[in-house]
C-alpha cells in the first residue's frame, strides 16, 4: 500500500494563478482532511470530508475549495492564489469505524506539498 | 491562549539523555495524539492516548486526564530522534469535535 500520496511536492505560483493539490489514499479511509502548516502556528484544518460526496469547512477554509467524488481522492483547489497561502500543505486520512472506535484510529499523513506564492 | 500548549518549544540534548516533552490542553478531550515530524517534513503518528500510559520501544507517552496534561518521554536519546514532536487533541466523537487541534510543536535536537 502506498498510504497517502500528495502531489506535487513543491510548487511556485504567481499571485492570482489557480492550481489543484492532489491527495490520494489507498486504505479505503472514509475520513480525509487538508491542513496547512505555518511557522509557530501548528497544523490548521482547512477542509475535511467524512465520505464521498460530503465535505465541510475546517478552521481556515477561505480561499480553498475541495471535492470528494471518490473515496480515494480529495483534491484541494486554490482558485486565485495569494501570498498569504504560502505554506506547507498536508493531506491526511483515517478510518472512521464506529463513533467509539474513531478516537483510536491512527491518522495517516502525506509527505506534504511546499507551496510558494509570489 | 491556544487550546493546546507544548513545552519546551526547542530542546537540545546530548545523546543518551532522557527527554521529556510536555503538552497541556484546556478543553475536555476524547483522545490525545503524539506525532513526529521528520526534518524532511513527513508526519508520523506515534501514540494515541485516552488514559494511562503507552510504550513503544524507547518512547513512552502518559496522560493525566484530571490535570489535562500529557508527556512524551524518550529514553536513551539518539541523534535520529531529532525531529519536531507535535501534540494534538480530539475533543469528542461527533461533528466538529472530531477534528484535531494541534500544538505548535517541540523541536528536538539530539547531539552526538
Amino acid at each position: 500500500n502506498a498510504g497517502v500520496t500528495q502531489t506535487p511536492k513543491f510548487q511556485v505560483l504567481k499571485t492570482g494563478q489557480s492550481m489543484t493539490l492532489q491527495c490520494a489514499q489507498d486504505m479505503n479511509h472514509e475520513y480525509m482532511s487538508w491542513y496547512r502548516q505555518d511557522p509557530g502556528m501548528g497544523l490548521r484544518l482547512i477542509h475535511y470530508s467524512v465520505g464521498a460526496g460530503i465535505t465541510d469547512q475546517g478552521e481556515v477554509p477561505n480561499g480553498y475549495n475541495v471535492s470528494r467524488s471518490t473515496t480515494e481522492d480529495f483534491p484541494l483547489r486554490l482558485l486565485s492564489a495569494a501570498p498569504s497561502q504560502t505554506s506547507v500543505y498536508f493531506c491526511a486520512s483515517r478510518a472512521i469505524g464506529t463513533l467509539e472506535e474513531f478516537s483510536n484510529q491512527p491518522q495517516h499523513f502525506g509527505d506534504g506539498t511546499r507551496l510558494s506564492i509570489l | 491562549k491556544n487550546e493546546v500548549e507544548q513545552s519546551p518549544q526547542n530542546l537540545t540534548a546530548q545523546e543518551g539523555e532522557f527527554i521529556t516533552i510536555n503538552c497541556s490542553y484546556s478543553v475536555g478531550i476524547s483522545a490525545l495524539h503524539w506525532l513526529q515530524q521528520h526534518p524532511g517534513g513527513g508526519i508520523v503518528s506515534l501514540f494515541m492516548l485516552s488514559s494511562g500510559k503507552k510504550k513503544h520501544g524507547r518512547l513512552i507517552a502518559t496522560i493525566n486526564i484530571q490535570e489535562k496534561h500529557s508527556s512524551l518521554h524518550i529514553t536513551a536519546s539518539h541523534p535520529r530522534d531529532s525531529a519536531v514532536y507535535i501534540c494534538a487533541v480530539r475533543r469528542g466523537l461527533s461533528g466538529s469535535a472530531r477534528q484535531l487541534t494541534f500544538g505548535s510543536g517541540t523541536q528536538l535536537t539530539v547531539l552526538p
Side-chain angles (χ1 to χ4, degrees):
Chain A
N1 288 346
V4 179
T5 303
Q6 283 185 241
T7 56
K9 294 194 185 313
F10 303 95
Q11 184 70 50
V12 179
L13 293 177
K14 294 182 179 178
T15 298
Q17 285 185 314
S18 63
M19 82 159 295
T20 299
L21 307 185
Q22 302 291 345
C23 176
Q25 52 92 10
D26 60 359
M27 297 170 282
N28 203 31
H29 286 168
E30 302 94 334
Y31 183 87
M32 296 185 74
S33 52
W34 275 102
Y35 299 91
R36 60 179 289 173
Q37 185 178 39
D38 301 294
M41 301 191 71
L43 287 152
R44 292 183 292 167
L45 181 66
I46 305 171
H47 286 284
Y48 68 98
S49 168
V50 297
I54 307 170
T55 64
D56 205 348
Q57 295 181 347
E59 182 184 355
V60 287
N62 293 340
Y64 308 95
N65 280 351
V66 292
S67 61
R68 186 89 181 272
S69 56
T70 66
T71 300
E72 294 78 19
D73 299 299
F74 190 44
L76 178 72
R77 297 186 186 85
L78 284 71
L79 299 179
S80 180
S84 61
Q85 293 177 305
T86 294
S87 187
V88 181
Y89 292 84
F90 287 95
C91 178
S93 75
R94 68 196 305 230
I96 290 182
T98 64
L99 284 179
E100 289 74 24
E101 290 170 347
F102 184 71
S103 283
N104 293 322
Q105 299 296 329
Q107 186 114 318
H108 298 263
F109 286 86
D111 290 336
T113 295
R114 191 170 296 273
L115 183 61
S116 295
I117 315 295
L118 305 177
Chain B
K1 189 179 189 299
N2 293 336
E3 288 185 349
V4 182
E5 296 275 358
Q6 286 186 237
S7 63
Q9 286 187 310
N10 293 283
L11 178 58
T12 300
Q14 290 295 134
E15 183 172 356
E17 285 186 2
F18 180 84
I19 289 163
T20 296
I21 299 171
N22 296 301
C23 175
S24 297
Y25 50 92
S26 58
V27 295
I29 68 169
S30 63
L32 182 143
H33 294 245
W34 281 103
L35 309 168
Q36 180 191 54
Q37 185 170 24
H38 297 289
I43 298 175
V44 175
S45 181
L46 296 175
F47 293 104
M48 295 164 293
L49 295 165
S50 55
S51 64
K53 175 180 175 178
K54 285 190 176 180
K55 183 176 188 294
H56 290 162
R58 296 181 294 106
L59 299 176
I60 303 166
T62 64
I63 188 168
N64 185 318
I65 297 295
Q66 287 74 28
E67 294 185 4
K68 293 187 166 60
H69 180 268
S70 176
S71 293
L72 177 68
H73 306 286
I74 305 175
T75 62
S77 60
H78 190 276
R80 64 175 175 267
D81 297 326
S82 298
V84 176
Y85 292 84
I86 301 169
C87 172
V89 301
R90 178 165 288 104
R91 288 181 287 113
L93 299 176
S94 61
S96 62
R98 291 186 294 187
Q99 311 311 326
L100 288 174
T101 301
F102 294 85
S104 57
T106 295
Q107 172 69 62
L108 171 65
T109 303
V110 181
L111 302 174

